[in-house]
C-alpha cells in the first residue's frame, strides 16, 4: 500500500449475479475495504449479504420501508453510502447504471459501470490487459461485457505477439443466468441475434480501436457459460506453437486440453468446483490448446467464457486504475490474480 495510508473504500450498488461476486472479490483484496452494499431487493438474495456481515443500504428512498419490513438492518440510503466511499461499483441491471451515473457525477464520486451500459456513458471502456493506462485517474469507466472481455483478452494476446491482422468470431451465448432459468430461458431452439455484427465486436473496438474484429452471436438453450469459435487472419505464416505461446503469455487465459478430459463446458465448471473456487467461478478464458489449428497465416480456435465470473478481476483492476492506487497494469493484474487464485489451475 505504498503511498496510501488507508485502504480504498469501495461501495457496491446492485447485489446480483455480478455484484455479489464483486463484493466477495473486493473483500479479499488487502488494499480495499467494502464499506457497504446498496440494493432494492427484499428477499433471500440480500439476506445472504447480511449474513456475510456486509453493511446494507437502500438504493432508492422508496425501497427503505419494504427492506426494513423484510427484516434488514438498513444503515441508510445510497446517498449516505456514497458519502463514505472513494469509489462505487455499479452492478445494477442494464440501463439503470446509466441513470445512476447522474447521481455519481452530482456527488463527485468515482464510479465503475458494467457491460450492460453504453461506452458513451463513461467515455472509457476497460479490459485490464488493454486499457488500464487510459483509466488512470479518470472519474469513471465501463468494464465491458463478459463476451467482449474475452474477445479483448484473446485478441490482445495475439496483438502483443505481433500476430493479429483480423478476427472473425461466432459466439454461442448462454440463454440466461442459471438462477433465473425458470424465468427467462429458451428451450428446443437456437435464437440468432438480430444483427451482424453483434455488439461485442464494436464494443471490443471501444476498448482498442485498432482491433479489426467482427462478431456474430446465437443464443443456445443452456445456462452454464458461453462458447466462442474464432477464425483469425494472422499478419504472417506462423506455427501452432507460436499462437499457443501468444495465448499462454496472457495471465488471464487458461489453456485446457480435450485430451485431459476437459471436453465440454460442464467439465470445466466441475474443475472449478473441485478446486474450491467460490461459486465455481472461472475467471480465466478457458481456451482449448489442442483445438488450436493453424493453416499458413490463418488460426482457428475455441474457448469458454464464464459470463458470471470473467469480469470480476477486471472490476478489481478498474478500481485500482480509477483511484490511481496502482499505476502499473501488470502489477494490479498480478495482485488481483494472486488474491483470487487466477491462473493456478492451468498449465503454463
Ligand atoms: N449476468 C451476467 O452474466 C453479466 C452481466 N453483466 C452486466 O452486469 C450488470 C449487472 O447484471 P447482473 O448482475 O446480471 O444483474 P442482476 O439482475 O443479477 O442484479 C442486479 C441487482 O440490482 C438490483 N436492482 C434493481 N434495480 C436497482 C436499482 N435501481 N438500484 C440498485 N439495485 C437495483 C436487482 O434487484 P431486483 O432483481 O429485485 O430488481 C438485483 O439485485 C449489467 O450491466 C449486465 O449487463 C456483465 C457481464 C455478465
Ligand atoms: O454480458 C453478457 O453477455 P454479452 O457479452 O453477450 O453482452 C452477459 O452474458 C449478460 O448477457 P445478457 O444480456 O444475456 O444477460
Amino acid at each position: 500500500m505504498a503511498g496510501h495510508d488507508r485502504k480504498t473504500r469501495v461501495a457496491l450498488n446492485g447485489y446480483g449475479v455480478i455484484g455479489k461476486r464483486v463484493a466477495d472479490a473486493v473483500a479479499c483484496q488487502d488494499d480495499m475495504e467494502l464499506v457497504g452494499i446498496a440494493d432494492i431487493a427484499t428477499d433471500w438474495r440480500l439476506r445472504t449479504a447480511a449474513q456475510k456481515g456486509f453493511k446494507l443500504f437502500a438504493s432508492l428512498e422508496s425501497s427503505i420501508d419494504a427492506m426494513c419490513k423484510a427484516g434488514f438492518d438498513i444503515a441508510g440510503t445510497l446517498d449516505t453510502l456514497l458519502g463514505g466511499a472513494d469509489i462505487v461499483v455499479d452492478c445494477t441491471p442494464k440501463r439503470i447504471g446509466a441513470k445512476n451515473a447522474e447521481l455519481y457525477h452530482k456527488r463527485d464520486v468515482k464510479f465503475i459501470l458494467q457491460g450492460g451500459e453504453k461506452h458513451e456513458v463513461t467515455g472509457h471502456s476497460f479490459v485490464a490487459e488493454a486499457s488500464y493506462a487510459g483509466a488512470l485517474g479518470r472519474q469513471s469507466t465501463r468494464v465491458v461485457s463478459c463476451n467482449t472481455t474475452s474477445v479483448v483478452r484473446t485478441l490482445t494476446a495475439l496483438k502483443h505477439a505481433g500476430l493479429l491482422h483480423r478476427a472473425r468470431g461466432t459466439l454461442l451465448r448462454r440463454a440466461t443466468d442459471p438462477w433465473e432459468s425458470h424465468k427467462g430461458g429458451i428451450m428446443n431452439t437456437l435464437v440468432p441475434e438480430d444483427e451482424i455484427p453483434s455488439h461485442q465486436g464494436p464494443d471490443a473496438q471501444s476498448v482498442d480501436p485498432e482491433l479489426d474484429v467482427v462478431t456474430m452471436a446465437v443464443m443456445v438453450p443452456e445456462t452454464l457459460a458461453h462458447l466462442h469459435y474464432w477464425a483469425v487472419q494472422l499478419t504472417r505464416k506462423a506455427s501452432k506453437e507460436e499462437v499457443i505461446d501468444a495465448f499462454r503469455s496472457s495471465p488471464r487465459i487458461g489453456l485446457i486440453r480435450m485430451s485431459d478430459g476437459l471436453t465440454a463446458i460442464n467439465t470445466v465448471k466441475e474443475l472449478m468446483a473441485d478446486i474450491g473456487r467460490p461459486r465455481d467461478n472461472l475467471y480465466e478464458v478457458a481456451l482449448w490448446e489442442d483445438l488450436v489449428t493453424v493453416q499458413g497465416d490463418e488460426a482457428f480456435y475455441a474457448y469458454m467464457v464464464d459470463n458470471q465470473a470473467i469480469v470480476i478481476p477486471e472490476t478489481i483492476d478498474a478500481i485500482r486504475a480509477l483511484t490511481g492506487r496502482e499505476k502499473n497494469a501488470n502489477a494490479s493484474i498480478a495482485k488481483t490474480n494472486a488474491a483470487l487464485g487466477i491462473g493456478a489451475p492451468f498449465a503454463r
Side-chain angles (χ1 to χ4, degrees), residues 94 145-148 173-174 199-200 226 307:
K94 227 173 254 187
S145 79
C146 49
N147 283 308
T148 310
R173 298 183 70 243
R174 65 89 182 96
H199 81 82
Q200 296 85 1
H226 306 303
N307 53 289

Side-chain angles (χ1 to χ4, degrees), residues 151-167 211 230-236 242-250 253 287 292 299-301:
V151 172
V152 176
R153 274 191 202 167
T154 48
L155 297 184
T156 299
L158 293 174
K159 181 178 168 181
H160 285 168
L163 288 172
L164 181 66
H165 179 43
R166 79 164 77 88
L211 296 177
W230 284 87
V232 172
Q233 176 81 53
L234 304 173
T235 49
R236 58 175 170 78
E242 282 179 282
V243 172
I244 292 171
D245 281 349
F247 290 136
R248 189 177 281 119
S249 70
S250 162
I253 296 175
L287 189 145
V292 173
F300 307 90
Y301 55 88

Side-chain angles (χ1 to χ4, degrees), residues 112-165:
I112 294 169
L113 301 184
Q114 296 293 333
E117 310 304 332
K118 300 265 183 252
H119 170 82
E120 290 67 32
V121 183
T122 59
H124 185 272
S125 290
F126 190 90
V127 175
E129 287 167 81
S131 64
Y132 190 100
L136 283 175
R138 288 182 58 90
Q139 185 185 3
S140 64
T141 188
R142 170 187 74 135
V143 171
V144 291
S145 79
C146 49
N147 283 308
T148 310
T149 298
S150 74
V151 172
V152 176
R153 274 191 202 167
T154 48
L155 297 184
T156 299
L158 293 174
K159 181 178 168 181
H160 285 168
L163 288 172
L164 181 66
H165 179 43

Side-chain angles (χ1 to χ4, degrees), residues 13-19 38-41 45 59-60 90-94 96 100 114-117 144-146 174 177 179-180 307-308 311:
N13 192 17
Y15 190 74
V17 169
I18 300 301
D39 204 300
I40 59 168
R45 295 169 294 166
S59 296
L60 303 173
D90 189 300
C91 300
T92 59
K94 227 173 254 187
I96 292 181
N100 289 340
Q114 296 293 333
E117 310 304 332
V144 291
S145 79
C146 49
R174 65 89 182 96
D177 290 326
W179 86 277
E180 287 189 305
N307 53 289
Q308 302 191 111
V311 300

